[in-house]
């Protein structure tokens, strides 16, 4: 072996070592999935109605989250979204601001500061309370046009959701989409799949998307597959929040079929996230809910044909389950406040 070849093999070893330590040190990806209004009965009913099966059965740790807000045992999606996204309990209807009126950075924004790529997916509009908790600072969740304005100035890398009307059919006559020049705003799932842009937005509907029963498309698993593909194709780690938004709306409507069909749609996306985490091995998947809706109970029936009743048109204060898989999933066992979900996610990226 001459000096030259020794030198070359040393260099090669060094490169292998650098590459190895780099991949070991890469921050973990986080996939946070929120089933809005998805309490234990919604899960149980969806599972039995789905041939006694859910992707949640493969998760490694299960915890329970206390969902009360700062002013009520019964939270709304804004206060509980804010709790999980920013780690503070706040008043119902408030987004990203604590009960002393201080704006809070969300886990998505903290991830961005650390060089993560970020994504938001919802089966509601993108300005609805749950996704908005991750980017908006707004005293009322119902100020949709203000929330849209904040979103247009935010730097989420990838988003999919409804509600383009809050960007284009506004009281101030602005067309915010014309100001979002750094985005490739695609118009179909095919364009979404094809786009190679570094920032992509896909408005699925002008208004709130319809339910699965009323023909919503594309399905959440298809959207999730493409989104994870895109976010994981770059060197930097990613954070994505995926919401099954309309499980809650089924609860409000005391509509068992709607709860179950929305759960199944969400469940299929959970399966996609889980399969990705299994093969990637550097990903944490957390699936939880912001609260239970409908005081739903599962009174009988049989596999694939369950019988439910409801005792309210609103939310309830029962704890909701938290399922975790992958890196740091053990942090999510036990019983804790919903604000702890933020702390545990933060710990994972540090
Ligand atoms: Mg929601
Ligand atoms: Zn609700």
């Amino acid at each position: 072996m001459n000096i030259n070849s020794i030198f070359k093999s040393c260099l090669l070893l060094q490169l292998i070592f650098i590459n190895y330590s780099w991949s070991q040190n890469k921050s973990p990806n986080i996939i946070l999935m929120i089933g809005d209004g998805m309490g234990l009965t919604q899960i149980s009913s969806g599972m039995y109605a789905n041939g006694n099966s859910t992707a949640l059965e493969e998760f490694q740790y299960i915890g329970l989250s206390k969902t009360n807000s700062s002013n009520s045992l019964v939270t709304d999606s804004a206060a509980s979204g804010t709790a999980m996204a920013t780690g503070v309990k706040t008043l119902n209807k408030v987004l990203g601001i604590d009960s002393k009126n201080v704006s809070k950075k969300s886990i998505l924004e903290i991830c961005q500061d650390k060089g993560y790529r970020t994504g938001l997916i919802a089966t509601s509009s993108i300005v609805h309370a749950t996704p908005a908790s991750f980017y908006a600072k707004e005293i009322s969740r119902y100020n949709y046009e203000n929330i849209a304005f904040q979103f247009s100035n935010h730097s989420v890398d990838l988003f999919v959701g409804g509600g383009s009307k809050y960007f284009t059919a506004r009281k101030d006559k602005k067309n915010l989409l014309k100001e979002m020049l750094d985005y490739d705003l695609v118009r179909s799932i095919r364009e979404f799949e094809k786009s190679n842009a570094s920032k992509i937005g896909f408005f699925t509907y002008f208004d709130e998307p319809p339910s699965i029963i009323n023909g919503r498309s594309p399905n959440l698993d298809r959207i999730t597959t493409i989104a994870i593909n895109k976010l994981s194709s770059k060197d930097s780690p990613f954070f994505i929040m995926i919401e099954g938004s309309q499980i809650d709306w089924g609860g409000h409507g005391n509509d068992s079929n709607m709860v179950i069909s929305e759960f199944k749609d969400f469940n299929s996306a959970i399966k996609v996230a889980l399969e990705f985490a299994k093969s990637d091995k550097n990903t944490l998947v957390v699936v939880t809910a912001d609260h239970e809706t409908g005081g739903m109970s599962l009174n009988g029936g049989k596999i694939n044909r369950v019988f439910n009743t409801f005792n309210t048109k609103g939310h309830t204060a029962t704890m909701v389950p938290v399922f975790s898989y992958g890196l740091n999933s053990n942090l999510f066992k036990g019983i804790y406040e919903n604000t702890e979900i933020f702390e545990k996610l933060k710990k994972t990226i540090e």
Side-chain angles (χ1 to χ4, degrees):
M1 216 185 241
N2 61 30
I3 294 288
N4 202 12
S5 68
I6 290 171
F7 177 74
K8 268 187 192 159
S9 46
C10 279
L11 202 68
L12 188 68
L13 274 176
Q14 216 170 7
L15 278 173
I16 290 168
F17 179 74
I18 288 168
N19 194 35
Y20 173 78
S21 49
W22 179 81
S23 68
Q24 292 302 297
N25 290 332
K26 189 182 170 190
S27 300
N29 306 309
I30 293 179
I31 304 174
L32 174 61
M33 305 186 72
I34 301 176
D36 199 314
M38 190 182 74
L40 203 47
T41 307
Q42 284 78 0
I43 295 169
S44 310
S45 305
M47 177 188 72
Y48 286 125
N50 191 41
N52 192 13
S53 158
T54 163
L56 293 169
E57 291 169 83
E58 289 192 59
F59 279 63
Q60 293 164 313
Y61 292 93
I62 299 166
L64 290 170
S65 161
K66 304 186 197 179
T67 64
N68 65 291
S69 68
S70 73
N71 64 331
S72 172
L73 264 195
V74 178
T75 190
D76 78 331
S77 294
S80 57
T82 298
M84 293 187 279
T86 74
V88 297
K89 296 261 186 189
T90 193
L91 306 166
N92 284 0
K93 297 190 180 63
V94 175
L95 294 169
I97 304 172
D98 72 11
S99 51
K100 294 183 186 105
N101 213 15
V102 179
S103 289
K104 291 290 170 183
K105 240 182 202 184
S106 75
I107 185 69
L108 180 146
E109 292 163 330
I110 294 168
C111 283
Q112 280 181 326
D113 291 347
K114 289 189 169 284
Y116 275 61
R117 287 168 52 77
T118 57
L120 284 177
I121 297 174
T123 55
S124 63
S125 65
I126 202 70
V127 295
H128 217 263
T130 311
S133 304
F134 290 81
Y135 62 84
K137 321 294 166 197
E138 184 60 53
I139 220 70
S140 169
R141 57 180 285 184
Y142 298 113
N143 294 337
Y144 290 124
E145 293 191 0
N146 290 353
I147 295 167
F149 180 74
Q150 290 188 33
F151 189 65
S152 71
N153 286 307
H154 209 276
S155 48
V156 174
D157 296 296
L158 179 153
F159 71 86
V160 182
S164 60
K165 71 172 188 180
Y166 300 109
F167 297 75
T168 60
R170 300 166 54 84
K171 285 191 207 90
D172 64 11
K173 305 282 182 228
K174 280 185 185 163
N175 182 344
L176 299 180
L177 301 189
K178 292 209 165 125
E179 294 168 24
M180 297 167 73
L181 294 172
D182 44 345
Y183 282 93
D184 183 10
L185 294 172
V186 299
R187 290 163 171 276
S188 68
I189 188 79
R190 258 181 225 107
E191 280 182 30
F192 178 52
E193 191 161 24
K194 266 198 238 149
S195 176
N196 286 318
S198 65
K199 291 179 79 175
I200 310 172
F202 177 17
F203 281 106
T204 50
Y205 288 87
F206 180 68
D207 210 326
E208 293 297 338
S211 63
I212 284 285
I213 291 172
N214 289 325
R216 183 176 72 245
S217 79
N219 289 338
L220 195 54
D221 58 343
R222 177 111 195 265
I223 299 170
T224 301
T225 302
I226 298 170
I228 291 179
N229 254 328
K230 290 193 185 307
L231 290 173
S232 63
S233 67
K234 305 284 193 315
D235 283 340
S236 30
F238 69 87
F239 169 92
I240 189 168
M241 192 289 292
I242 301 165
E243 184 196 21
S245 318
Q246 299 200 25
I247 300 167
D248 173 67
W249 303 357
H252 284 294
N254 289 185
D255 180 341
S256 174
N257 288 332
M258 182 169 176
V259 168
I260 287 167
S261 52
E262 294 298 332
F263 174 83
K264 285 183 182 174
D265 184 51
F266 189 51
N267 184 56
S268 65
I270 295 169
K271 202 173 281 174
V272 170
L274 185 66
E275 291 310 317
F276 174 78
K278 278 185 193 170
S279 65
D280 178 71
K281 297 190 171 65
N282 192 36
T283 297
L284 167 68
V285 186
V286 176
V287 184
T288 187
D290 47 359
H291 52 72
E292 193 275 343
T293 306
M296 190 180 186
S297 60
L298 176 49
N299 308 68
K302 51 189 178 185
I303 306 283
N304 291 328
R305 224 188 139 130
V306 298
F307 175 62
N308 297 111
T309 57
F310 296 85
N311 68 19
T312 172
K313 296 261 178 187
H315 301 168
T316 68
T318 47
M319 294 189 287
V320 291
V322 183
F323 303 85
S324 57
Y325 181 93
L327 225 82
N328 271 11
S329 54
N330 61 314
L331 293 179
F332 292 83
K333 66 189 183 207
I335 299 180
Y336 42 83
E337 299 291 341
N338 53 2
T339 48
E340 281 297 303
I341 292 173
F342 166 84
E343 300 296 341
K344 294 171 195 298
L345 295 174
K346 202 164 136 232
K347 202 167 175 181
T348 300
I349 62 166
E350 272 161 359

